[in-house]
Amino acid sequence: MYTSHEDIGYDFEDDPKDKKTLKPHPNIDSGWAWMVVLSSFFVHILIMGSQMALGVLNVEWLEEFHQSRGLTAWVSSLSMGITLIVGFGSGMAYLPAVVMVGRYFQKRRALAQGLSTTGTGFGTFLMTVLLKYLCAEYGWRNAMFIQGAVSLNLCVCGALMRPLSPGKDPNDPGGKDPRVVLAHSPGSRSSGPLGGAGESGPGNEETGGDAPAGASPEKAGHRQTTCAFGVLKTASRLTVRVRKGFRDWYSGYFGAASLFTNRMFVAFIFWALFAYSSFVIPFIHLPEIVNLYNLSEQNDVFPLTSIIAIVHIFAKVILGVVADLPCISVWNVFLMANFTLVLSIFILPLMHTYAGLAVICALIGFSSGYFSLMPVVTEDLVGIEHLANAYGIIICANGISALLGPPFAGWIYDITEKYDFSFYICGLLYMVGILFLLVQPCIQMIEQSRKKYMDGAHV
């Protein structure tokens, strides 16, 4: 699997003798990389935090419109699902915020992703408090206007993100601007007609301004030759840029199609289709579950969704640090967190006191910290060059799960008048998703056992 030097953040040396030698990019794991983490952190606050706090608005919509829980839950699920599928607003900001962190880090990828995605926890806590206050003071309609105004800060986050500076290949149109190089080159003024593009200036009588009176025809011809060469050079650069853009588009399009030949990646997609709904259901329906259990006074002091959010913050950092340890497999950490989360989903309906629900919510918050490992696991499966396409497919599958999960849980409540069966069924679906993750390891174990048996038979 080939990885270009632009993808992994390495530059070629200037010396032609060392063209094949790669040197680490100065911003990999340091420098501007941490500004990208900070930007991604605020993107998660503004986007995912707002999505996870929609349970507050869900209660307001139930009280005002008096519709079934299944129908009302569509509002929240559409917001979450479309953000992860095709959302033109949040979706276009969220995916680059995740992928960009992976491009700036190699040794500490899991930690960097963990730090950036803790914004989801901070955002859930902050947005829950903010929306409750705004709904109480101004009503849910004005609260949404104010929330939209706060989301304009995504423009600032986008301004902080920039791609790694590309290689120094002179044929690469994305490299250093030739005009800058010529303007600061010691030999730029003595480079002859071929370097005339860098000799223009207010005080240069050969290339700048109008020809003085009495100028010789030779000088006029020289200026025309230089101007024509500059036009040809610009056209050549534009042609190379267009060809490179077409190659990138072609490789990206067919690269995404080739991902489906990876069996483990396909299994990962099926996991994503089943998993995310079990995570978002508590955020949407917990505020109403609290009302049904007459725990509103305790929940107002410290909301259960805020407990999930706060523990979620620390869990992402902790799991990121653990996954970066050389003796620990990221895949094993990912699987263990999934098992813990599905167990929490099964136990939650059995709790009817605030203390019991708080413990389970803390467990949900900690185990759901594995979301910070998703980009790392995806990159390990497909490589850095396909990370953007692959992770886009994964969050699209998550979006479908988030789109259907909350309305399904509400629909089951409308039939049974209990949320218990909603959590049980979603937990079972989550288990189906986990089984897909276990397919490939089982196949590998069988193949290794068969290989050992055959080797022993030959001996």
Side-chain angles (χ1 to χ4, degrees):
M1 187 176 292
Y2 174 75
T3 305
S4 67
H5 66 278
E6 292 181 353
D7 285 331
I8 60 176
Y10 279 76
D11 286 340
F12 283 112
E13 297 284 356
D14 289 328
D15 189 356
K17 297 180 182 179
D18 298 328
K19 282 287 183 180
K20 296 183 180 179
T21 303
L22 295 177
K23 64 178 182 179
H25 194 284
N27 282 328
I28 290 292
D29 290 305
S30 62
W32 194 258
W34 295 110
M35 290 300 296
V36 174
V37 171
L38 180 65
S39 175
S40 179
F41 171 78
F42 281 106
V43 169
H44 280 82
I45 286 180
L46 295 171
I47 293 180
M48 300 309 295
S50 298
Q51 300 292 342
M52 297 305 177
L54 285 176
V56 175
L57 294 174
N58 192 64
V59 174
E60 298 287 334
W61 296 328
L62 282 170
E63 292 179 356
E64 176 156 342
F65 298 110
H66 304 288
Q67 298 294 323
S68 67
R69 287 164 177 80
L71 182 61
T72 306
W74 273 108
V75 182
S76 303
S77 65
L78 282 170
S79 178
M80 288 186 179
I82 292 178
T83 295
L84 301 171
I85 299 174
V86 291
F88 288 133
S90 299
M92 291 181 68
Y94 176 70
L95 178 60
V98 176
V99 174
M100 190 70 77
V101 174
R103 289 188 176 274
Y104 268 85
F105 284 87
Q106 289 180 343
K107 295 180 181 178
R108 291 176 283 185
R109 286 180 302 153
L111 175 60
Q113 292 287 5
L115 290 173
S116 65
T117 55
T118 54
T120 300
F122 278 106
T124 304
F125 176 75
L126 295 175
M127 290 298 180
T128 299
V129 176
L130 178 63
L131 281 177
K132 289 185 70 173
Y133 171 77
L134 293 176
C135 289
E137 292 292 326
Y138 307 108
W140 67 267
R141 289 181 171 83
N142 292 326
M144 294 189 70
F145 275 116
I146 298 172
Q147 184 184 12
V150 173
S151 298
L152 285 174
N153 287 287
L154 286 169
C155 299
V156 180
C157 299
L160 292 176
M161 292 188 184
R162 63 189 187 194
L164 286 165
S165 57
K168 301 175 182 177
D169 186 351
N171 295 322
D172 185 359
K176 290 186 178 180
D177 192 339
R179 293 171 296 179
V180 177
V181 175
L182 288 172
H184 293 85
S185 175
S188 61
R189 294 190 174 274
S190 58
S191 56
L194 297 181
E199 296 175 6
S200 61
N204 193 328
E205 63 177 0
E206 289 189 356
T207 60
D210 296 331
S216 63
E218 290 80 3
K219 290 185 177 181
H222 175 71
R223 285 195 301 272
Q224 293 176 357
T225 302
T226 303
C227 181
F229 177 78
V231 171
L232 290 174
K233 195 172 182 180
T234 302
S236 175
R237 277 199 219 106
L238 182 61
T239 303
V240 172
R241 190 181 295 271
V242 170
R243 289 174 58 190
K244 183 177 183 295
F246 180 79
R247 284 199 307 269
D248 292 342
W249 170 84
Y250 182 87
S251 62
Y253 179 81
F254 289 98
S258 66
L259 291 173
F260 292 93
T261 61
N262 185 330
R263 289 183 301 175
M264 195 55 207
F265 179 70
V266 173
F268 198 47
I269 294 174
F270 279 104
W271 166 84
L273 283 171
F274 290 103
Y276 202 73
S277 62
S278 298
F279 174 66
V280 300
I281 284 175
F283 286 97
I284 301 301
H285 294 297
L286 261 181
E288 195 193 355
I289 290 174
V290 167
N291 293 337
L292 293 175
Y293 293 168
N294 298 317
L295 302 173
S296 299
E297 292 184 4
Q298 294 168 290
N299 190 66
D300 288 340
V301 176
F302 206 94
L304 291 172
T305 53
S306 297
I307 294 176
I308 298 178
I310 293 173
V311 179
H312 188 73
I313 295 169
F314 295 101
K316 285 189 171 182
V317 178
I318 293 171
L319 293 181
V321 172
V322 171
D324 276 336
L325 295 176
C327 57
I328 299 295
S329 169
V330 177
W331 189 254
N332 291 338
V333 176
F334 186 75
L335 283 176
M336 290 301 297
N338 271 272
F339 278 116
T340 307
L341 180 56
V342 74
L343 180 64
S344 305
I345 296 296
F346 278 123
I347 296 176
L348 190 143
L350 303 177
M351 301 298 170
H352 296 277
T353 64
Y354 178 83
L357 288 172
V359 172
I360 298 303
C361 286
L363 195 58
I364 291 175
F366 186 84
S367 56
S368 62
Y370 74 79
F371 283 106
S372 66
L373 304 178
M374 283 177 56
V376 182
V377 173
T378 305
E379 183 179 334
D380 289 342
L381 291 176
V382 302
I384 184 67
E385 66 273 19
H386 296 302
L387 177 60
N389 289 328
Y391 196 70
I393 294 171
I394 293 299
I395 64 172
C396 178
N398 279 336
I400 295 173
S401 183
L403 181 67
L404 302 178
F408 178 69
W411 176 68
I412 293 176
Y413 178 89
D414 292 334
I415 296 176
T416 63
E417 296 188 355
K418 283 185 177 182
Y419 276 109
D420 298 14
F421 294 101
S422 300
F423 286 95
Y424 292 146
I425 295 175
C426 289
L428 288 174
L429 292 176
Y430 202 142
M431 285 297 299
V432 173
I434 293 177
L435 289 177
F436 279 103
L437 295 181
L438 297 176
V439 169
Q440 185 70 7
C442 291
I443 293 176
Q444 290 178 348
M445 290 175 63
I446 294 173
E447 290 178 351
Q448 289 175 358
S449 299
R450 183 180 301 172
K451 184 177 180 181
K452 289 180 180 180
Y453 175 78
M454 294 299 294
D455 291 343
H458 286 301
V459 172

